Amino acid sequence: MRLLNPESPVWAGGGRVPALPGENDRRMLSRELLLVLALSLGASGIAAVIRFVGALTRPGGLADQAATLNGSRAPGRPWLDLVWQVFAISTALVPVLLVAHLLLREPGPGGTGMRVIGFDLRRPRFDLAWGAVVAAGIGGSGILLYLGAHAAGANLTVVPESLPEVWWKFPVLIASALQNSIVEEVIVVGYLLRRLDQLGWSAPAALLTSSLLRGSYHLYQGIGGFIGNVAMGVIFVWLYRRWGRVMPLVVAHALIDIVAFIGYALLAGHVSWLPTA
């Protein structure tokens, strides 16, 4: 099946995006995109909306409820818990492997596979440096937004981790942060924008769709989590269009989550300004 016409490419962030396919292939691309989202963050978005409705309709305010990000999967059985943690992290990465397979099957010039969205190791210094800069800017403003939303009663109490005090706690938290960053930035930025470009969506429409999708699957945290992640999505899409690479965004997202997860583990109960469940 030939999806793309390599003779008439157009340019967009994340690599050289071939011209629009024919009508039949456009339907195939649309179905492919919907299936990938249904198997990954699109389904997470729907689940988050349902959870948020449940939180809104539960007695008490949002701030009195908790959203736990990394919890025990087999309380009191640390080795079984570890197996479940590794299993959950590994299977969450399967949609990324699917995206890699789908991108690898694209015909046309400019290279195929994950390289077309900049998920590679070609520019490690650039990716690490800019990832750290972005993480510092977004991470600091993000914690302020969360604290403000929580104080206003518009956000649940986010519990980044509630793992037992075992030797594998911090390695699992780091692995979870890496998994989150890879899945979100590859699918919601690189893959989604590439497919929307190929389907002829305008840049503003693609930016809005990516940003709202990112916000939707964080809605289980509350209004603050939704707004903060929509804003983060706008910035990440703009940076991706500018750089043509998702890797700096993966680095930034991973650093933000690592600091949040490990910082909470070290500070919870020891500082007065950090909400705890």
Side-chain angles (χ1 to χ4, degrees):
M1 178 182 66
R2 190 174 186 79
L3 295 179
L4 308 168
N5 175 14
E7 300 301 324
S8 181
V10 296
W11 289 90
R16 197 178 186 186
V17 179
L20 298 180
E23 186 61 31
N24 289 337
D25 290 339
R26 282 168 59 85
R27 287 196 291 267
M28 290 291 291
L29 280 181
S30 297
R31 286 196 292 267
E32 175 201 294
L33 177 58
L34 290 174
L35 286 170
V36 169
L37 293 178
L39 290 170
S40 57
L41 296 169
S44 298
I46 296 173
V49 172
I50 296 171
R51 289 175 63 184
F52 180 64
V53 171
L56 280 178
T57 55
R58 189 176 298 135
L62 290 179
D64 297 326
Q65 304 174 51
T68 301
L69 307 188
N70 296 283
S72 176
R73 295 174 181 270
R77 307 179 68 184
W79 283 103
L80 183 60
D81 199 347
L82 174 60
V83 171
W84 275 117
Q85 299 291 342
V86 173
F87 174 78
I89 291 170
S90 301
T91 53
L93 289 169
V94 172
V96 175
L97 298 178
L98 175 60
V99 165
H101 170 73
L102 294 170
L103 292 178
L104 191 62
R105 295 180 67 246
E106 283 191 10
T112 57
M114 299 291 259
R115 185 170 181 172
V116 298
I117 62 172
F119 186 74
D120 54 44
L121 300 176
R122 287 178 295 167
R123 304 179 65 185
R125 292 183 180 178
F126 177 90
D127 298 335
L128 290 172
W130 278 108
V133 170
V134 174
I138 291 182
S141 57
I143 186 64
L144 293 176
L145 175 62
Y146 163 66
L147 293 175
H150 185 272
N155 220 80
L156 284 77
T157 299
V158 177
V159 180
E161 70 85 23
S162 62
L163 295 175
E165 296 299 329
V166 289
W167 65 268
W168 48 260
K169 175 176 181 173
F170 290 115
V172 163
L173 291 175
I174 293 172
S176 177
L178 292 173
Q179 172 249 299
N180 290 340
S181 61
I182 292 171
V183 171
E184 292 189 38
E185 305 318 323
V186 166
I187 294 177
V188 177
V189 178
Y191 170 74
L192 177 62
L193 292 182
R194 183 168 179 83
R195 286 294 183 255
L196 294 182
D197 287 344
Q198 290 168 334
L199 290 169
W201 286 45
S202 68
L207 180 148
L208 183 63
T209 299
S210 176
S211 303
L212 289 176
L213 175 58
R214 186 188 295 269
S216 72
Y217 57 78
H218 287 95
L219 189 57
Y220 69 92
Q221 298 176 9
I223 299 298
F226 174 79
I227 294 175
N229 278 279
V230 169
M232 177 177 169
V234 171
I235 294 170
F236 273 28
V237 169
W238 182 81
L239 291 174
Y240 176 70
R241 294 296 196 188
R242 181 177 179 85
W243 294 331
R245 295 182 59 75
V246 298
M247 193 58 82
L249 309 180
V250 171
V251 172
H253 192 150
L255 290 175
I256 291 170
D257 280 5
I258 288 171
V259 170
F261 296 168
I262 294 182
Y264 184 89
L266 297 175
L267 296 177
H270 300 289
V271 293
S272 59
W273 54 266
L274 183 61
T276 55

